[in-house]
Amino acid sequence: MEFIILLYGATMLYLCFLIWKLFDQKRDQECYILDYQLYKPSDERKLGTECCGRIIERNKHLGLNEYKFLLKAVVNSGIGEETYAPSNVIEGREAAPTLNDGVKEMEEFFRDSIAKLLASSGISPSEIDVLVVNVSMFSAVPSLTSRIINRYKMREDIKAYNLTGMGCSASLISLDIIKNVFKSQKNKFAVLVTSESLSPNWYNGNDRSMILANCLFRSGGCVILLTNKRSFKHRAMMRLKCLVRTHHGAREDAYSCCNQKEDEEGRLGFYLGKNLPKAATRAFVDNLRVLSPKVLPTRELLRFMVVSLFRKVREICSLKSSSGGSSKSNNKSPLNFKTGIEHFCLHTGGKAVIDGVGMSLDLCEYELEPARMTLHRFGNTSASSLWYVLGYMEAKKRLMKGDRVLMISFGAGFKCNSCMWEVMKDLRDRPNVWDECIDDYPPESLANPFMEKFGWINDVQEATNFKLHGFLK
């Protein structure tokens, strides 16, 4: 009898040990942000109204109709006058980019942001265990990861990942790689480097579906330091709670809606198709279907089930009582994401993207403000745009301990990725690239001066006698 009691006790103790071990291992699998640095290029690379006019004038393939299209696109883009372009575009060499232009653009970003990140965090390059770099439209040999490792003399056993072709959603894909490494390896530091190379990809033709990219994409980048060390939890800014990836590459229309290609004359650029909004909507809906149970409270999910059941019963009754007609479509999500999330970091793919996601999630102007202001100040910086939105929230002192932040990004392929962070401490008085201008945002008006300076183009009727060159002089 005593032996049975001892055996039973030992079994219970062993089960308790296994449960404790399971929870203890989970503590070593967390993903914390310790620091991040946003890139701010030099003022010489700013794209003001006059500079844009000179760049457009240099493109000899454009005519009056293309000028009118560009004017409408820029005026409605939501982008201001202080965004940044690559040096070769500012210098007038966008029609004949070189490999060195792309390398130089990336190395300027690396030298500035990675050095600042290591200095502010106090972490040595030799302590970095994982390095993930994502730059979609530029691939060099040696790789960009190798260039960083060489410059900062990182360890020989560092795990390096160099991602290309992932589009504007690449930073969350990189984050997913780091999260999975953290699950299998304890006490690691990781650096995530996200940017885009515009130097070799500035379009110099007249295809409208490819000219549009020149109006939206701008230079930028971000470097993030992450860890799963429990001893650094007290220093962490945010903790990753969940991450969801949706890929519609198997659908032909989604796959082909945006891609890097050459036009009929062989000029390289980035194509944005008319079916892009439809592809983005489908990917967004599928992503939210997986994300919502992970981030919303049980009461909201129960409310959704009851409301959905009630709507289906009402639709059945209405179909029986009426012989024809169709029900009105509603673009808003039936779920209230504000019950589980305080802040929304939206991809700054353009004014229409922000408006569309805001309408779907029923967000107010205050919640859309960080994305709109980021688009106005920095433009669409591709995969790094989410972090500029986060930087705006931090500069405005909106992020408090316990708050939850949802990031949503879209990318070629077609992909929609999202993740939710928990803020670990009040984030305030930490310098970032918004400091010099944060008091000026939001401005009274987001209208840019392009219509005021170039609106006369809409009054021109005779394309044969029209010259932009004379006006710019």
Side-chain angles (χ1 to χ4, degrees), residues 338 342 344 346 354 357-359 361-370 372 398:
K338 299 177 188 179
E342 284 76 30
F344 297 83
L346 308 183
I354 297 172
V357 175
M359 183 179 297
L361 298 180
D362 197 22
L363 304 182
C364 65
E365 278 303 312
Y366 177 81
E367 290 155 335
L368 293 175
E369 179 187 306
R372 292 198 194 282
R398 293 187 180 188

Side-chain angles (χ1 to χ4, degrees), residues 244-260:
V244 176
R245 293 169 58 181
T246 303
H247 202 310
H248 281 184
R251 301 188 181 195
E252 194 61 37
D253 57 340
Y255 171 77
S256 59
C257 68
C258 55
N259 54 72
Q260 185 186 27

Side-chain angles (χ1 to χ4, degrees), residues 43 45-53 74 77-84 218 375-379 441 446-450 452-454:
D43 288 346
R45 292 171 57 182
K46 281 188 178 180
L47 268 182
T49 307
E50 295 292 344
C51 183
C52 287
V74 173
S77 66
I79 293 180
E81 283 201 290
E82 297 198 337
T83 59
Y84 303 93
R218 296 293 184 265
L375 179 64
H376 183 268
R377 175 61 183 85
F378 292 98
Y441 281 92
L446 292 178
N448 57 44
F450 284 88
E452 179 184 343
K453 294 190 177 184
F454 298 111

Side-chain angles (χ1 to χ4, degrees), residues 58-73:
R58 287 198 298 263
N59 188 344
K60 304 304 180 185
H61 306 289
L62 301 180
L64 179 59
N65 291 333
E66 286 78 24
Y67 289 139
K68 290 182 178 181
F69 171 77
L70 279 171
L71 177 63
K72 181 180 179 181

Side-chain angles (χ1 to χ4, degrees), residues 54-201:
R54 289 192 295 271
I55 294 171
I56 293 171
E57 186 241 341
R58 287 198 298 263
N59 188 344
K60 304 304 180 185
H61 306 289
L62 301 180
L64 179 59
N65 291 333
E66 286 78 24
Y67 289 139
K68 290 182 178 181
F69 171 77
L70 279 171
L71 177 63
K72 181 180 179 181
V74 173
V75 168
N76 295 326
S77 66
I79 293 180
E81 283 201 290
E82 297 198 337
T83 59
Y84 303 93
S87 297
N88 68 317
V89 175
I90 301 298
E91 295 167 4
R93 296 184 291 104
E94 67 275 9
T98 64
L99 175 64
N100 189 56
D101 288 328
V103 172
K104 180 183 176 184
E105 181 185 11
M106 290 296 96
E107 289 188 341
E108 285 179 356
F109 160 53
F110 297 156
R111 284 198 303 268
D112 178 87
S113 299
I114 296 178
K116 288 180 179 177
L117 179 78
L118 296 174
S120 63
S121 64
I123 302 298
S124 167
S126 61
E127 296 180 79
I128 305 301
D129 303 285
V130 183
L131 174 65
V132 184
V133 177
N134 63 259
V135 177
S136 291
M137 295 194 294
F138 181 72
S139 180
V141 179
S143 68
L144 297 177
T145 51
S146 295
R147 293 172 189 272
I148 294 172
I149 292 169
N150 175 263
R151 178 173 182 81
Y152 292 97
K153 308 306 176 189
M154 295 179 176
R155 295 203 318 264
E156 294 179 357
D157 62 344
I158 189 171
K159 303 295 185 292
Y161 303 85
N162 198 95
L163 307 184
T164 61
M166 295 296 178
C168 298
S169 63
S171 66
L172 296 192
I173 296 173
S174 301
L175 179 64
D176 193 35
I177 291 174
I178 293 172
K179 183 193 77 169
N180 289 327
V181 171
F182 283 176
K183 280 185 176 180
S184 59
Q185 300 181 35
K186 296 168 56 175
N187 299 322
K188 300 297 180 182
F189 284 116
V191 170
L192 193 164
V193 181
T194 176
S195 185
E196 190 55 87
S197 177
L198 300 183
S199 295
N201 295 286

